[in-house]
Amino acid sequence: MEPTKEEMALTGDRTYQNLDAAPAYAELKNAARVSLKDVLNPDRVAACQVGTSAGLQYNYAAKPVSDHILDLLQQLSEQQELIPKYWDILSGETMNPGENRKVLHHLTRGQLAADVLHNERNLRDFYAEQQRRIAGFAEQVHAGTILGSTGKPFDTVVQVGIGGSDLGPRAMYLALDTLLQNDPAYAGGTRSGTTGGRKMRAEFISNVDPDDAVAVLSRIDPETTLFILVSKSGTTQETLTNEAFVIDALAKSPAQGLKPRKHMICVTSETSPLAASDEYLDSFFIDDFIGGRYSSTSAVGGALLSLAFGPDIFAEFLAGAAEADTAAIEPDIRKNAALLDALIGVYERNVLELPATAVLPYSQALSRFPAHLQQLDMESNGKQVNRDGEPVAYPTGPVIFGEPGTNGQHSFYQLLHQGTDIVPLQFIGFTGCQGATDLQFQSSTSQAKLNANMVAQIAAFALGQSDSNPNKNFPGERPSSLLFADKLTPKVLGALLAHYENKVMFQGLVWNLNSFDQEGVQLGKVLTKQVLGGADMHPALAAFAKLMEI
Amino acid sequence: MEPTKEEMALTGDRTYQNLDAAPAYAELKNAARVSLKDVLNPDRVAACQVGTSAGLQYNYAAKPVSDHILDLLQQLSEQQELIPKYWDILSGETMNPGENRKVLHHLTRGQLAADVLHNERNLRDFYAEQQRRIAGFAEQVHAGTILGSTGKPFDTVVQVGIGGSDLGPRAMYLALDTLLQNDPAYAGGTRSGTTGGRKMRAEFISNVDPDDAVAVLSRIDPETTLFILVSKSGTTQETLTNEAFVIDALAKSPAQGLKPRKHMICVTSETSPLAASDEYLDSFFIDDFIGGRYSSTSAVGGALLSLAFGPDIFAEFLAGAAEADTAAIEPDIRKNAALLDALIGVYERNVLELPATAVLPYSQALSRFPAHLQQLDMESNGKQVNRDGEPVAYPTGPVIFGEPGTNGQHSFYQLLHQGTDIVPLQFIGFTGCQGATDLQFQSSTSQAKLNANMVAQIAAFALGQSDSNPNKNFPGERPSSLLFADKLTPKVLGALLAHYENKVMFQGLVWNLNSFDQEGVQLGKVLTKQVLGGADMHPALAAFAKLMEI
């Protein structure tokens, strides 16, 4: 039985222990291994599936888990108190202890636990208010009541940000762009209750490499472009530097007199230098409780997605994420896709000792989703000390990589099939495509070919194939899971995003990590300042700087 | 002393043995390990560097190798006969034994060994002839003597291909696009002997996902677009399917009467069904001796790059690759960057037992270069049997992943710095940027910031930093190399590409693999056909197909 909210709230005294202190972990190491060739059959395909939310299904039939292993993973979940700790996160406990912060990205898309107050402010209200302000702003831009310096409407939006201010919003934009442009249900106001369709083209500037800004700025018209400067701290080196490029491009535009304050908004924290500036048309806020890699559902993703696609599309996306958050409360791991995905991942990482995971979306729309997951997962759980700062004696977060299928099949799948290491796989697929056009060719549509390829790969990886020519021999026993839905809609995308956020959260809790800080990025920043400032530095660093003529 | 071509040609009787049969391998396992914190100093930074070609330098000061380890790697190179086997490849020996084929991508950009004849044809002449034909064709397109159906000049070129017909050409196009558009030395005919500048915008359709074709076709005008259909066999499912989308788009264009044969060329083998068709404006040829992942310097990359940038830019790119090929003949590993890079990689993979490698270009222009290397490396050396089909008892090709810096710093570097596993790193950088614009901001240019970040990372990874707060402690000892040059020009890009091709080749030879086949991609194709054809198939596969409603 799932405890009530009230029961959960009352059991706030949690035990934090390392994975290797959990009794189930030792049992898992001794549990009989599963041969996929032995167990994979249609009954298993039907049985090993759990709906997450928004129609998204998680199928783990091709994962090497038995009922006994699942029972032990259930025990592990309970011994590590994963659901109560998730409840603590939802309730606004200080779950980022290293930085003494709450972890509130779930609150940007709904409220599952009690009110979260900070300095007497209700933070759900704060996040919802930012979303409303953004919606109002975006509607004015779309209606042409907010115009550029020369009185022309904006047709392009450029996000200037890096890391979580770039990867998530970019991946989400690309995930919906084809749908919004092509699907008749979204395009051109034919959809009831919304004008639908893509409102503005989006571009992104992230890298401090000047060639990034130069290339992007060469393919937009500053006169009709709205720039969103995104930096929580307001001090991100790359983003402030790229702001200078934007200001330069506005000044040099043939359309004279373009004023930055008519073409730039910012998304930042209320206390940042950007928020204090009057150089922006408007400012929208996040706070310290939203980590960059978890900020797609906050104002960081909200401004960009609301401007590009309209506020109601962003609201649908949030609704999907909220559904996945709700689904993740379920304590029975066989009924909780994010929790189960997390635990199977831990089994693969710590018991089977597999150091990498590939994410393989059979959807061109998700072309940059693996890059977002790379940050989400590797920055959250790429840690070697636990939440109390003690070294852990087991592997934590894996290397995450991936590219869309079928492209990957013609690239790195060779190693996945026949390499010396086994890489666990996460397939993502959709029965239908996003665009309005599909063609029959040689008796099947492209979408059917796409999905036939995907399921064929699942079977090939799991089952392999013996061949008397060892070069053509496939060992099989290569595990994969499949996340799938009817179609990649805004709601499904929100659910997919939140599924992974919650998976990573649960894994961090199993490993007893603080998944919400990123101290590992600090040293490089310090040394960079030494190089640029000509300060005393390690002589080898000075020698490398000289090589690069800095 | 380097043997002469004649001496090399005479010593064709090679010994093929597994890595673990080489005496140096056991000695490497026993050799004292190197602490980067102990050894890294300015003298080492200056000493551990080798020029490759075209101004490209390989610095390995932050790699964990001692003189003793390098001596053993030199012995390993000799015991595995790497240079003589390279010479065999250059000489047209059958170095892809599984498919009974020569391996001749080097010959597409020059000739280092004796003539290679096949069926009485001189293959260097054949490749050069294709390059000349492409150059002539591209010049006619650029001059407006070849026009579209309605008499308008072509301004866009779309490559339709997948795997090696997509990843390499796409990465190379993106690598030069900003330079060609922005650098005054290339733009607008100011460069002596060339009209310079980007001639045509390029786009790419690869995935069988219909949304890929739909999205690309929605942002080009078929009336002024030339399509390149690329498939060596002429039977690639994805590419033929996407050809149907192209034909559909031509038929539906508002500019009526667009004829496919006026808008499509193909790059294929002479014996393919495409070559036999009269549906193409022209056809350019490759052959079975050019593997897809090695085809950027053949007609596969040549048609696209010559049309986009002009034949002389493509010729410069080839010249850079040829220089790197020449540099790779040197038997002294301390003077051969590709060979040394390969051997240090083997040391990291087999002695230090590190399963992944990250490629980190500090250049936005190289945004898709890691994706190309992923195919190049993982498809070549992701093998578990040796060239004779016997299982090997050691790890072979690693997982390859990467994103441009500084973006990656704000994403997965957390794990690289503080994760539980060590990931060897390959930095790539350039002292100057490609674009004409760079700005001073807070006392430094963006390019200086970019490179300061890069060298700071090298130092941070190698040296780490102790901190009493374990969460802020950096263990260091994380190895990296640095490939760098003044600027990413066509010539440097060619050298960079060939460096990696030769590195991967040498590693395959150390591991005693056939790096030039890819049998691991076959099983998925067979099972896909079963699904699409409704043939008898494994019942679990049928169950997965039903899930996806195929």
Side-chain angles (χ1 to χ4, degrees), chain A residues 445-506:
Chain A
T445 63
S446 282
Q447 189 67 23
K449 289 185 185 76
L450 177 69
N451 286 328
N453 272 281
M454 182 177 72
V455 298
Q457 291 295 333
I458 293 172
F461 281 117
L463 304 171
Q465 183 172 270
S466 298
D467 197 296
S468 57
N469 178 346
N471 207 24
K472 298 178 191 294
N473 190 61
F474 291 79
E477 304 295 353
R478 311 219 162 191
S480 67
S481 61
L482 170 61
L483 272 164
F484 70 102
D486 286 351
K487 188 169 187 164
L488 184 57
T489 61
K491 197 168 187 180
V492 168
L493 180 67
L496 184 67
L497 175 78
H499 171 88
Y500 276 101
E501 289 180 0
N502 292 325
K503 172 191 170 174
V504 167
M505 169 192 73
F506 284 130

Side-chain angles (χ1 to χ4, degrees), chain A residues 207 209 211 238 241 364 368 375 384 389 396 403 405-407 410 414 418 420 434-435 446 470-471 475 517 520, chain B residues 206-207 209 211 238 241 364 368 375 384 389 396 403 405-407 410 414 418 420 434-435 446 470-471 475 517 520:
Chain A
N207 203 331
D209 181 349
D211 292 342
E238 287 88 343
T241 305
Q364 190 64 24
R368 292 299 285 170
Q375 180 191 17
Q384 53 190 347
T396 59
E403 291 285 338
T406 58
N407 291 5
H410 295 260
Q414 164 68 41
Q418 294 188 318
T420 49
Q434 288 191 319
S446 282
N471 207 24
D517 66 358
Chain B
S206 53
N207 203 331
D209 182 347
D211 292 341
E238 287 88 345
T241 305
Q364 191 62 24
R368 292 300 285 169
Q375 179 190 20
Q384 55 189 345
T396 59
E403 292 285 339
T406 58
N407 291 4
H410 296 259
Q414 164 68 41
Q418 293 188 319
T420 49
Q434 288 191 320
S446 283
N471 206 24
D517 66 358

Side-chain angles (χ1 to χ4, degrees), chain A residues 381-397:
Chain A
N381 292 335
K383 312 272 168 77
Q384 53 190 347
V385 297
N386 68 13
R387 71 197 300 279
D388 301 316
E390 297 152 354
V392 297
Y394 42 81
T396 59

Side-chain angles (χ1 to χ4, degrees), chain B residues 310-354:
Chain B
D312 42 1
I313 297 295
F314 182 62
E316 278 187 39
F317 169 69
L318 295 188
E323 280 191 28
D325 293 342
T326 304
I329 296 176
E330 166 62 49
D332 181 344
I333 69 166
R334 289 172 172 87
K335 296 179 183 169
N336 182 334
L339 180 59
L340 184 56
D341 194 358
L343 289 162
I344 292 174
V346 168
Y347 177 75
E348 291 173 331
R349 179 76 167 124
N350 298 95
V351 179
L352 304 182
E353 300 182 345
L354 306 176

Side-chain angles (χ1 to χ4, degrees), chain A residues 192-385:
Chain A
S192 79
T194 167
T195 54
R198 187 176 78 177
K199 312 286 191 182
M200 299 168 77
R201 177 169 73 101
E203 294 272 359
F204 300 83
I205 300 174
S206 52
N207 203 331
V208 78
D209 181 349
D211 292 342
D212 191 16
V214 164
V216 173
L217 292 170
S218 75
R219 57 179 186 255
I220 59 107
D221 180 356
E223 189 180 5
T224 56
T225 298
L226 184 67
F227 297 90
I228 314 176
L229 201 72
V230 189
S231 168
K232 184 160 66 179
S233 68
T235 63
T236 311
Q237 183 193 50
E238 287 88 343
T239 304
L240 295 183
T241 305
N242 282 322
E243 181 184 27
F245 276 86
V246 169
I247 291 169
D248 182 65
L250 289 166
K252 289 182 180 161
S253 169
Q256 297 195 357
L258 302 187
K259 295 184 182 63
R261 81 185 59 177
K262 298 276 275 181
H263 288 259
M264 291 172 67
I265 62 174
C266 69
V267 178
T268 188
S269 61
E270 290 169 294
T271 55
S272 94
L274 300 184
S277 165
D278 59 0
E279 292 301 307
Y280 304 101
L281 181 55
D282 210 340
S283 304
F284 304 101
F285 302 118
I286 48 173
D287 63 20
D288 282 344
F289 307 143
I290 311 297
R293 56 194 176 273
Y294 296 94
S295 66
S296 290
T297 54
S298 77
V300 171
L304 185 277
L305 296 171
S306 298
L307 284 161
F309 301 133
D312 42 1
I313 296 295
F314 182 62
E316 278 187 39
F317 169 69
L318 295 188
E323 280 192 28
D325 293 342
T326 304
I329 295 176
E330 166 63 49
D332 181 345
I333 69 167
R334 289 174 173 88
K335 295 178 182 169
N336 182 334
L339 180 58
L340 184 56
D341 195 358
L343 289 162
I344 292 174
V346 169
Y347 177 74
E348 290 172 333
R349 179 76 168 123
N350 297 96
V351 179
L352 303 183
E353 299 181 346
L354 306 176
T357 296
V359 180
L360 308 169
Y362 275 62
S363 163
Q364 190 64 24
L366 293 177
S367 60
R368 292 299 285 170
F369 192 66
H372 167 64
L373 292 187
Q374 213 168 39
Q375 180 191 17
L376 176 66
D377 201 324
M378 294 173 72
E379 192 163 71
S380 294
N381 292 335
K383 312 272 168 77
Q384 53 190 347
V385 297

